Amino acid sequence: MKKYILITGGAGFIGSHVVRRFVKNYPDYQIINLDLLTYAGNLENLKDIDTLPNYTFVKGDITDSDFVNKLFETYPIEGVVHLAAESHVDRSITDPASFIRTNIFGTFNLIHAAKEHWKGAMEGKRFYHISTDEVYGSLGATGLFTETTSYDPQSPYSASKASSDHLVRAYHNTFHLPVVISNCSNNYGPNQFPEKLIPLCIHNLQHNKPIPVYGKGENIRDWLYVEDHASAIDVIFHNGVNGETYNIGGINEWTNIDLIRALCDVVDQQLGRAQGTSRQLITFVKDRAGHDLRYAIDSSKIQRELGWKPSLQFEEGLAKTVAWYLKNSEWLENVSSGAYEKYYEKQYHQR
Ligand code: NAD
Ligand code: TYD
């Protein structure tokens, strides 16, 4: 009997890497990818695996409780890896309501459906909620987020993720739902929507457009290559302990301005431009409202207890990422123009 695993948000940036990894590494699993295909979801991200027999795509909305319940009735789902979310801080400032709907109500629908359908048969089941380090708030110059750091979210995005984390923990405490949670730092790599810093910069540099640096560029983020996040998710899904939280990070802190300068140099090198050309496009713009100063993760728990650590050095990851976007400039143009919707029509509407 195949084991049915539901992955939500699998057409998005991180989700597509997780779906590919699970489909390829676990032929005994039937992977159900549930995604609404919002602006951030793109089936082109998965076209290399979408005809494999252990992969099924379902278009649907996690905020629709009838739909979510029907999904649990249709498939004998034994595991959930929940990534579907509104994920961009800037959008949460202009449109917080969609973050409340998807990240809070959507997570509630999923976890409640899992509880109802797994009632009396929790053995072997697992609900894995993917979260962010942003729930811990903003650090000063020193210190690291550990799994016991108090929640102190500062943006509508991080507040909605914090709320969903609390709900998931509450379902573990109250109903003994077998859950695990992980909180990860900033991801980078192929297939990231070009509203986020790194793909946005690469896209603009390709078109000789200004690179918008918020404030003075002094904010610090810890960056992790997306496939390293996918490998951590694999390890936690299979070996994590129910009720536990795991922090995931790259041990790789950069101020935005230093990161952008490094990125400019990699782009110049790969495009054969004179060194320093791209840096001239750096432009300081108005700061983000409530901009968190610093995120930094202590990932010693997952390293010690589950034997995971990042595999890629940042220089290598950045070079791979730039090379991917330059090679896949069509992907970048398509997601920017919305033309990928045509791919969806062609690929799935006639089936
Ligand atoms: P993303 O925005 O690229 O993808 C989100 C996916 O969810 C998209 O495919 C979208 O279509 C889908 N989705 C949105 N609303 C939906 C709904 N109502 N029903 C079904 N599907 C819906 O996001 P991402 O960067 O890949 O992040 C994935 C998860 O990882 C999120 O939960 C995010 O909070 C978390 N996370 C992200 C980062 C990061 O650096 N990107 C870091 C830590 C944690
Ligand atoms: P982002 O990729 O949006 O991730 P997050 O806000 O979740 O950390 O932004 C990363 C950092 O880069 C953050 O400090 C905001 C900054 N930033 C810019 O300076 N300019 C930009 O155009 C964007 C999108 C982000």
Side-chain angles (χ1 to χ4, degrees):
M1 258 287 275
K2 283 208 162 186
K3 197 167 174 171
Y4 281 75
I5 308 295
L6 173 66
I7 300 182
T8 70
F13 167 45
I14 302 169
S16 61
H17 291 270
V18 175
V19 165
R20 178 177 299 100
R21 186 180 177 97
F22 274 56
V23 166
K24 285 193 167 170
N25 289 2
Y26 302 103
D28 291 347
Y29 291 173
Q30 188 65 34
I31 301 299
I32 313 290
N33 172 14
L34 161 61
D35 199 296
L36 182 59
L37 301 181
T38 67
Y39 77 96
N42 183 354
L43 289 174
E44 255 190 89
N45 295 348
L46 291 164
K47 65 182 177 204
D48 56 320
I49 57 126
D50 71 0
T51 54
L52 294 179
N54 66 333
Y55 172 72
T56 307
F57 173 70
V58 178
K59 185 174 182 207
D61 189 343
I62 59 167
T63 69
D64 178 346
S65 59
D66 290 343
F67 166 79
V68 170
N69 277 312
K70 274 199 197 91
L71 197 71
F72 273 83
E73 280 158 22
T74 308
Y75 300 105
I77 295 163
E78 293 185 59
V80 178
V81 184
H82 173 38
L83 296 110
E86 289 294 337
S87 67
H88 189 41
V89 174
D90 291 328
R91 284 183 193 252
S92 83
I93 296 168
T94 52
D95 175 27
S98 61
F99 287 70
I100 306 309
R101 259 194 316 273
T102 297
N103 300 357
I104 304 179
F105 285 117
T107 301
F108 167 70
N109 283 336
L110 278 169
I111 198 142
H112 194 69
K115 176 210 154 226
E116 289 299 304
H117 287 84
W118 295 348
K119 213 169 1 194
M122 299 280 189
E123 188 66 33
K125 308 290 195 302
R126 168 145 284 180
F127 189 101
Y128 181 4
H129 177 63
I130 308 295
S131 192
T132 167
D133 61 353
E134 302 189 26
V135 297
Y136 298 121
S138 180
L139 290 165
T142 57
L144 298 171
F145 298 134
T146 71
E147 286 81 359
T148 54
T149 300
S150 300
Y151 275 30
D152 187 20
Q154 300 291 318
S155 72
Y157 164 64
S158 54
S160 67
K161 291 296 291 187
S163 173
S164 61
D165 293 9
H166 288 320
L167 265 175
V168 171
R169 283 200 188 94
Y171 268 64
H172 175 70
N173 291 327
T174 311
F175 306 113
H176 309 293
L177 197 74
V179 310
V180 277
I181 299 179
S182 58
N183 297 82
C184 188
S185 61
N186 286 56
N187 285 215
Y188 71 100
N191 297 131
Q192 188 168 31
F193 197 83
E195 64 187 353
K196 304 276 169 62
L197 181 67
I198 290 181
L200 181 142
C201 288
I202 298 171
H203 191 224
N204 286 10
L205 287 173
Q206 263 187 305
H207 293 85
N208 285 309
K209 281 166 59 181
I211 307 287
V213 181
Y214 296 165
K216 294 183 180 156
E218 286 168 347
N219 306 69
I220 294 172
R221 299 290 182 264
D222 169 282
W223 293 92
L224 179 70
Y225 193 66
V226 63
E227 283 177 7
D228 276 333
H229 189 188
S231 79
I233 289 173
D234 188 343
V235 167
I236 292 170
F237 183 73
H238 291 100
N239 302 326
V241 174
N242 284 333
E244 290 292 318
T245 293
Y246 299 90
N247 279 356
I248 308 168
I251 323 167
N252 180 38
E253 289 182 51
W254 287 76
T255 61
N256 290 339
I257 189 66
D258 285 346
L259 167 59
I260 288 166
R261 287 189 182 123
L263 189 63
C264 285
D265 295 348
V266 176
V267 170
D268 283 347
Q269 195 191 7
Q270 294 196 13
L271 284 179
R273 291 177 178 166
Q275 277 298 317
T277 308
S278 290
R279 287 187 183 209
Q280 288 167 22
L281 292 166
I282 292 174
T283 310
F284 293 92
V285 299
K286 188 167 172 272
D287 208 352
R288 171 186 282 170
H291 197 172
D292 287 341
L293 177 65
R294 175 171 169 259
Y295 307 141
I297 278 271
D298 176 351
S299 60
S300 56
K301 178 175 172 180
I302 183 176
Q303 298 198 32
R304 189 178 59 246
E305 295 186 9
L306 302 180
W308 174 90
K309 62 175 172 22
S311 71
L312 223 62
Q313 291 298 313
F314 193 50
E315 289 66 24
E316 194 188 338
L318 207 54
K320 267 176 87 157
T321 301
V322 170
W324 187 87
Y325 284 98
L326 294 182
K327 189 166 163 236
N328 293 278
S329 50
E330 207 182 323
W331 180 93
L332 211 47
E333 298 311 327
N334 282 351
V335 297
S336 308
S337 70
Y340 73 85
E341 280 170 20
K342 287 192 196 129
Y343 171 84
Y344 172 74
E345 285 292 319
K346 195 166 140 243
Q347 196 67 10
Y348 287 95
H349 231 105
Q350 299 144 358
R351 286 189 179 173

